[in-house]
Amino acid sequence: MHLDAGALTDFARGCAVLGSGGGGAVAATFAVAEYAIEECGPVRVVSPATLDADALVMPLSTLGTSAVAAERIGGRGEPARLRDYVERVHGRPVAAVMSGEIGGLNGCLAVAWAARLGLPLLDADSMGRAFPRMDQNVLELAGVRPGPAVLADERGRTLVVDRVDGVHYELLARAAVDVLGGRAIASDYPLTAGQAAAHAVQGTVTQAVCIGRRLAETVDGSSGTHSAATPTGPAGPRGPGAPPMSPTHQARSDAASRLPVSRLTAKVSSVQRMTHADGGGTIEVLLEGIDTDTGRLVLVEARSEFVVALEDGRPLALVPDVIALVDVATGEPVPAEEVRYGLRVRLLTLPSAPVWYTPEGLRLAGPEAFGLHGLGAVPHHGSAAGNPPARTPGAAA
């Protein structure tokens, strides 16, 4: 498929949902991607399996706070400078771009850079959602090394980090971002197309488009014009008698079919923001059910991203599940930092990639990695037994 300006709107909305309340505000990088597509044309989205297995893939992500990233959005020359440096380090050309984090602002960033560089964008990413730490990605779980990682700012100041594990890369990169003024672009966990096909989360660009489109339909009741984002081939519709899909293509199709379900329609009854001694923070949002959900109370907690939704002390959803609050009036996801009293929202949840529910995935990015203890087992792929029936967004209650 191709992402043009029309499809980009759905894609950005889907990225905001997959940000799980975090990942940085999408608005700034959406504008950057929209401008890049206007100047350079639509972006071709491809499966990693369609490229030569040894082709070099350049993962991309922004480091730093979302507030700084919104003010320092880079320039036209930034993509080419980073690509040239990556090619010098590896001694061969970059064949494709991949988002290091589909959730939040980094999804649209990868679209903008693919457009500027004239390269295809992989229908895959390194997380399948947003996480706060750079080492909280599926490539880390697969044993892919972080380096040589190339970090640069918009002025062209560049450094290479190599021969480190994920934990030390996170520490060194964050320190470098501070020196660079609070924002940098990184191409880390370098890999081939074959490795991307084997280890990255497949189909997440298609999934984001499908999520965004579904949310738009819940508001205006129509599908609009989305021809440029209609999946074809492996991720598209399949009729009876179609040949079996490869594992990579099946994963893309599965991702496209993973859509959020509605757990609650509610009014924000209270918002409490707390700062911890280590500089981190917690946001607690109390949701009071309205309409057919009157009488229900759900507490949603955010630590960078929304990490748990509790009803009667039991988790409706628990990280690594994706948890999102969507404005009932606009259909737009609401970042955790922007939740306010009185807002009418819909609580949406959806499962993350299956690898996040393995013992290794839970150790890296499960409840205890966020300081959540004593909540019991993570509901398998986001579905807790005994939960109230889930509804697709916009379905009749």
Side-chain angles (χ1 to χ4, degrees):
M1 72 176 181
H2 286 77
L3 280 175
D4 64 4
L8 184 65
T9 301
D10 288 334
F11 174 72
R13 189 181 296 113
C15 289
V17 170
L18 293 173
S20 198
V26 175
T29 52
F30 168 77
V32 173
E34 187 176 41
Y35 192 34
I37 288 175
E38 180 182 327
E39 288 194 332
C40 305
V43 170
R44 184 166 63 100
V45 180
V46 301
S47 165
T50 63
L51 303 177
D52 290 340
D54 292 332
L56 180 63
V57 173
M58 184 169 74
L60 289 170
S61 56
T62 303
L63 310 181
T65 66
S66 57
V68 174
E71 294 180 0
R72 295 171 56 190
I73 59 175
R76 289 184 179 88
E78 193 174 29
R81 283 198 300 269
L82 185 64
R83 179 206 53 198
D84 292 348
Y85 211 102
V86 168
E87 290 180 345
R88 287 202 298 272
V89 168
H90 291 277
R92 54 199 175 111
V94 170
V97 169
M98 184 178 82
S99 176
E101 177 185 50
I102 197 71
L105 62 82
N106 278 315
C108 285
L109 175 77
V111 173
W113 282 46
R116 293 284 178 202
L117 296 172
L119 293 173
L121 174 67
L122 293 194
D123 194 1
D125 81 298
S126 303
M127 295 184 181
R129 47 160 299 153
F131 280 120
R133 292 206 329 255
M134 298 166 65
D135 61 324
Q136 289 174 315
N137 67 75
V138 298
L139 304 180
E140 176 77 15
L141 291 175
V144 177
R145 302 289 292 180
V150 181
L151 289 77
D153 68 3
E154 68 274 18
R155 296 182 177 89
R157 296 178 294 189
T158 307
L159 66 152
V160 177
V161 181
D162 200 2
R163 300 182 183 276
V164 293
D165 59 16
V167 173
H168 286 90
Y169 172 59
E170 164 78 15
L171 295 173
L172 289 168
R174 295 296 177 186
V177 168
D178 287 342
V179 175
L180 294 174
R183 182 260 187 193
I185 298 293
S187 180
D188 49 24
Y189 290 87
L191 72 169
T192 64
Q195 289 175 306
H199 304 308
V201 185
Q202 305 298 313
T204 50
V205 173
T206 301
Q207 182 189 21
V209 172
C210 293
I211 291 172
R213 184 183 304 170
R214 175 65 64 87
L215 291 184
E217 291 169 355
T218 66
V219 175
D220 61 24
S222 64
S223 61
T225 302
H226 302 289
S227 59
T230 301
T232 59
R238 294 174 58 83
M245 286 188 276
S246 70
T248 299
H249 291 165
Q250 182 64 56
R252 293 178 68 204
S253 180
D254 291 345
S257 66
R258 284 204 309 268
L259 295 175
V261 293
S262 178
R263 298 290 187 181
L264 178 78
T265 303
K267 177 186 75 174
V268 176
S269 180
S270 71
V271 181
Q272 295 188 14
R273 292 177 168 85
M274 295 157 282
T275 302
H276 303 157
D278 61 1
T282 299
I283 301 173
E284 292 184 351
V285 180
L286 183 62
L287 302 178
E288 181 180 344
I290 59 175
D291 302 331
T292 58
D293 290 318
T294 297
R296 296 177 61 191
L297 292 174
V298 173
L299 180 67
V300 180
E301 183 174 317
R303 303 187 181 190
S304 294
E305 287 77 32
F306 293 124
V307 292
V308 64
L310 295 169
E311 183 174 23
D312 298 325
R314 295 176 58 250
L316 286 178
L318 183 62
V319 66
D321 294 342
V322 173
I323 302 169
L325 297 181
V326 173
D327 190 316
V328 169
T330 66
E332 295 296 329
V334 183
E337 295 177 351
E338 297 180 14
V339 177
R340 66 183 188 279
Y341 170 78
L343 192 66
R344 265 61 174 176
V345 297
R346 187 173 290 115
L347 172 65
L348 306 182
T349 67
L350 72 157
S352 291
V355 68
W356 288 120
Y357 299 89
T358 65
E360 297 78 13
L362 292 173
R363 277 195 294 272
L364 185 62
E368 294 193 359
F370 291 88
L372 300 173
H373 305 282
L375 293 177
V378 174
H380 181 62
H381 291 189
S383 57
N387 280 343
R391 303 189 298 273
T392 56

